[in-house]
Amino acid sequence: MQAAIVVLVVEDDQLIQSLVEEALADGGFEVAIACTGEEAAELPNATSPKYRALVTDIDLGRGKMNGWALARHAREDTPDLPVVYMSGDSAEDWTSQGVPNSVMLAKPFAPAQLVTAVSQLLNSVTPPQS
Amino acid sequence: MQAAIVVLVVEDDQLIQSLVEEALADGGFEVAIACTGEEAAELPNATSPKYRALVTDIDLGRGKMNGWALARHAREDTPDLPVVYMSGDSAEDWTSQGVPNSVMLAKPFAPAQLVTAVSQLLNSVTPPQS
Amino acid sequence: MQAAIVVLVVEDDQLIQSLVEEALADGGFEVAIACTGEEAAELPNATSPKYRALVTDIDLGRGKMNGWALARHAREDTPDLPVVYMSGDSAEDWTSQGVPNSVMLAKPFAPAQLVTAVSQLLNSVTPPQS
Amino acid sequence: MQAAIVVLVVEDDQLIQSLVEEALADGGFEVAIACTGEEAAELPNATSPKYRALVTDIDLGRGKMNGWALARHAREDTPDLPVVYMSGDSAEDWTSQGVPNSVMLAKPFAPAQLVTAVSQLLNSVTPPQS
Amino acid sequence: MQAAIVVLVVEDDQLIQSLVEEALADGGFEVAIACTGEEAAELPNATSPKYRALVTDIDLGRGKMNGWALARHAREDTPDLPVVYMSGDSAEDWTSQGVPNSVMLAKPFAPAQLVTAVSQLLNSVTPPQS
Amino acid sequence: MQAAIVVLVVEDDQLIQSLVEEALADGGFEVAIACTGEEAAELPNATSPKYRALVTDIDLGRGKMNGWALARHAREDTPDLPVVYMSGDSAEDWTSQGVPNSVMLAKPFAPAQLVTAVSQLLNSVTPPQS
């Protein structure tokens, strides 16, 4: 089990970035950080190993790709990718803008909620067929 | 129980339209039909009583609003609206384009699958608070 | 398979009683009717075969046992009994007054919703151990 | 939607065979019948179109392949195949002998339970990726 | 994310109180303690910020409000409040006395079970609409 | 709450054994270790208190009982026993070889995934009736 489970975290607020990173690291996940949706959207092809779950803020900067668009983009690449959204203002838009089988964490949330959400989504992905 | 449960069906293929209408009527639902997403998008404000669930095809005509966009639009209006998509070619896009807590019926499907999907989604909506 | 699956329906409104009875009979269930909670509360011991699911109205008459109390009583007897509530006014009280793993059907509802609710609850009961 | 959804029913009791066939046909499914597990185990490769769900009795004759073994065999071929077991005596063995995401219907059951079980399992299969 | 997620814990046994408090604090939750149901029942209106989940023992003292009654009371105030019950003797009464969408932890339980239960229930609450 | 929740871990790789043990201990579980399926299969009768959940590797040595067979054996003894499988190569066989209501963790996985899986399965077991 030397390989790690990489979770891609997309968040531009430094403080939340570190809280999220610490929570996931405590749960035994390896964290990759991106600050913008554009940066994140490039990652699947560039990184090795690929990330196994996406945790994204919704508002990623004015005029920039937001979390809703990023998740759709990532799911086009990996149809069963676990997706967790984090947001304060936009949580109420989840039922219209989110993807199926995702979790919306309304800020503020406790670190355990994030770890549980990521774990549960990963555990429910049917194992890949060779 | 004189009031009916109206299901809005958005489908431009006449044959499927009648199959769907018959299946839902057999289940005791009242059916409202729209042939385009644009027409459907106008309905919530115009009809009385409002529709309680949306069943929509994905491809609703070239250059027209498709089922993905229509469902997002309808959920903005009614955040917990039950949504069932029907499609042949586009079923694989559901995980990236669908809304949370929706059902994708890949064509062909049996009438009972549609009735079960609509019933299950309606039954899981938490009763409204007065 | 000569034995029938008996569903106990507790409802004092004649019209709804027959709609519910017809829907369940169409689904292949056998229906036993009680008009009051008190009458229903006596049934488990008296009937043979015992009923396998309970479908109950909430308001069962002034000063009478209501559907919330009846369901709790029935679950004391049969801890995994499928329970479906039907109500207009009281649907919003389900989250505080209902029992776990039950379904609330807000009136009006389509017959298929009732049949799906009863079937789903029955199918999720773990088979009994001999 | 001219293509049908074929459900393979494996049952050696003539009476139950016809009850099950009628229930599924009423739900709009097309039914293929096999009387033994061995016969059923040959079918996926021989039929066109392939069956989309398996409904099987457990006891399929002394010294013959039983329903538990048949379902495992069929899932090796089609990992996400919907599976519904029907049994009187063996229902209690489901938690140790059944496959994940299957439904156990203890006999007797109402036709609506079968149709709901098959529909629900089919509706929860993630649409295939091209 | 400076605001905390407050979990109200109602438990009169000092030892369990501290175990529960420690487990929740480790998960990043803030804990408010009440020793009786009566005390807890007053809290929603008095505290700021309001608690977001309720974790309650069942037996809260002879002649006192028990955990079943407290949870119903709290759900009347907040219909989608996450509720976790803890009990040794009374766990078997959960199916008749508990509220829908709650979790029963039979004592003894591991701290991780409590944190997972609270997190899962919080994560499944649909984000509030503004 | 002096009694502990014992989780039986069956794994012959020393490294994974200790990772799993540490993760579960951090979650507050007590861990019992067995290196072979045969050894594990003897445990339920020998240990006191009995284990409450089973976490097992699939490949437990050539010519030895594997994890699939062990889980079936354990479920015959305890029909609602929580089961978590861990595997690299065999994860894809879960849908045909696993038991109902189990979780498959494809290696590698993060410790939090294991703790969440065990907790979730334990929390969903209906409390026993006295």
Side-chain angles (χ1 to χ4, degrees), chain A residues 7-116:
Chain A
V7 177
L8 176 59
V9 174
V10 191
E11 169 67 67
D12 52 3
D13 180 321
Q14 287 275 8
L15 181 59
I16 299 186
Q17 219 182 69
S18 20
L19 288 173
V20 164
E21 196 167 1
E22 196 189 317
L24 290 172
D26 275 1
F29 296 100
E30 193 167 304
V31 177
I33 299 275
C35 294
T36 66
E38 284 76 7
E39 190 190 330
E42 296 301 315
L43 277 181
N45 310 306
T47 45
S48 169
K50 291 179 68 153
Y51 61 88
R52 295 276 305 279
L54 171 67
V55 174
T56 183
D57 189 19
I58 297 306
D59 180 0
L60 295 167
R62 197 192 257 223
K64 301 287 191 57
M65 179 188 272
N66 63 19
W68 307 126
L70 172 61
R72 281 183 209 126
H73 177 91
R75 280 276 182 90
E76 280 164 22
D77 201 58
T78 312
D80 59 0
L81 184 75
V83 171
V84 177
Y85 303 102
M86 309 175 291
S87 181
D89 298 343
S90 307
E92 67 181 66
D93 297 331
W94 176 70
T95 68
S96 61
Q97 299 300 319
V99 291
N101 302 322
S102 61
V103 170
M104 177 84 240
L105 294 178
K107 291 180 191 169
F109 54 83
Q113 287 180 258
L114 175 63
V115 173
T116 299

Side-chain angles (χ1 to χ4, degrees), chain E residues 20-128:
Chain E
V20 163
E21 196 166 1
E22 196 188 318
L24 290 171
D26 274 2
F29 296 101
E30 193 166 304
V31 177
I33 299 274
C35 295
T36 66
E38 285 77 7
E39 190 191 329
E42 297 301 314
L43 278 180
N45 311 306
T47 45
S48 170
K50 292 179 68 152
Y51 62 87
R52 295 275 304 278
L54 171 67
V55 174
T56 183
D57 188 19
I58 297 305
D59 179 1
L60 294 167
R62 199 192 256 222
K64 301 285 192 56
M65 179 188 274
N66 63 20
W68 307 126
L70 172 61
R72 282 183 207 125
H73 177 91
R75 279 278 181 89
E76 280 163 23
D77 202 59
T78 312
D80 59 359
L81 185 74
V83 171
V84 177
Y85 304 101
M86 310 176 290
S87 181
D89 299 343
S90 307
E92 67 181 67
D93 297 332
W94 176 70
T95 68
S96 61
Q97 299 300 321
V99 291
N101 301 322
S102 61
V103 170
M104 176 83 238
L105 294 178
K107 292 180 189 170
F109 54 83
Q113 286 179 258
L114 174 63
V115 174
T116 300
V118 170
S119 297
Q120 232 180 300
L121 290 170
L122 278 165
N123 292 358
S124 67
V125 173
T126 307

Side-chain angles (χ1 to χ4, degrees), chain B residues 1-5 26-29 52 115-116 118-120 122-123 125-130, chain C residues 15-16 19 91-95 103-114 116-117 120:
Chain B
M1 298 234 302
Q2 44 291 68
I5 301 294
D26 274 2
F29 296 101
R52 296 276 305 278
V115 173
T116 300
V118 170
S119 297
Q120 231 179 302
L122 278 165
N123 291 358
V125 173
T126 307
Q129 307 302 318
S130 66
Chain C
L15 181 59
I16 299 187
L19 288 173
E92 67 180 65
D93 297 331
W94 176 70
T95 69
V103 170
M104 177 84 239
L105 295 178
K107 292 180 190 170
F109 54 84
Q113 287 179 258
L114 174 63
T116 299
Q120 231 180 301

Side-chain angles (χ1 to χ4, degrees), chain C residues 3 5 27 29 120 123 127-130, chain D residues 91-92 105 108 110 112-113 116 120:
Chain C
I5 300 296
F29 297 101
Q120 231 180 301
N123 292 357
Q129 307 302 318
S130 65
Chain D
E92 67 181 67
L105 294 178
Q113 286 179 259
T116 300
Q120 232 179 299

Side-chain angles (χ1 to χ4, degrees), chain C residues 10-30:
Chain C
V10 190
E11 169 68 68
D12 53 2
D13 179 321
Q14 287 275 9
L15 181 59
I16 299 187
Q17 218 182 71
S18 20
L19 288 173
V20 164
E21 196 167 2
E22 196 189 318
L24 290 172
D26 275 1
F29 297 101
E30 193 166 304

Side-chain angles (χ1 to χ4, degrees), chain D:
Chain D
M1 297 236 301
Q2 44 291 69
I5 300 295
V6 181
V7 177
L8 176 60
V9 174
V10 190
E11 169 67 68
D12 52 4
D13 179 321
Q14 287 274 9
L15 181 59
I16 299 186
Q17 218 182 72
S18 21
L19 288 173
V20 163
E21 196 167 2
E22 195 188 320
L24 290 172
D26 275 2
F29 296 101
E30 193 167 303
V31 177
I33 299 274
C35 295
T36 66
E38 284 77 7
E39 190 190 329
E42 296 301 313
L43 278 180
N45 310 306
T47 45
S48 169
K50 292 178 66 152
Y51 60 88
R52 294 277 304 277
L54 171 67
V55 174
T56 183
D57 189 18
I58 297 306
D59 179 0
L60 294 167
R62 199 192 255 221
K64 301 286 191 55
M65 180 188 272
N66 62 20
W68 307 126
L70 172 61
R72 282 185 208 125
H73 178 91
R75 279 277 181 91
E76 280 163 23
D77 202 60
T78 313
D80 59 359
L81 184 76
V83 171
V84 177
Y85 303 101
M86 310 176 290
S87 181
D89 298 344
S90 306
E92 67 181 67
D93 297 330
W94 176 70
T95 68
S96 61
Q97 300 300 320
V99 292
N101 301 322
S102 61
V103 170
M104 177 83 238
L105 294 178
K107 294 180 187 169
F109 54 83
Q113 286 179 259
L114 175 64
V115 173
T116 300
V118 170
S119 297
Q120 232 179 299
L121 290 170
L122 278 166
N123 291 357
S124 67
V125 173
T126 308
Q129 306 303 317
S130 63

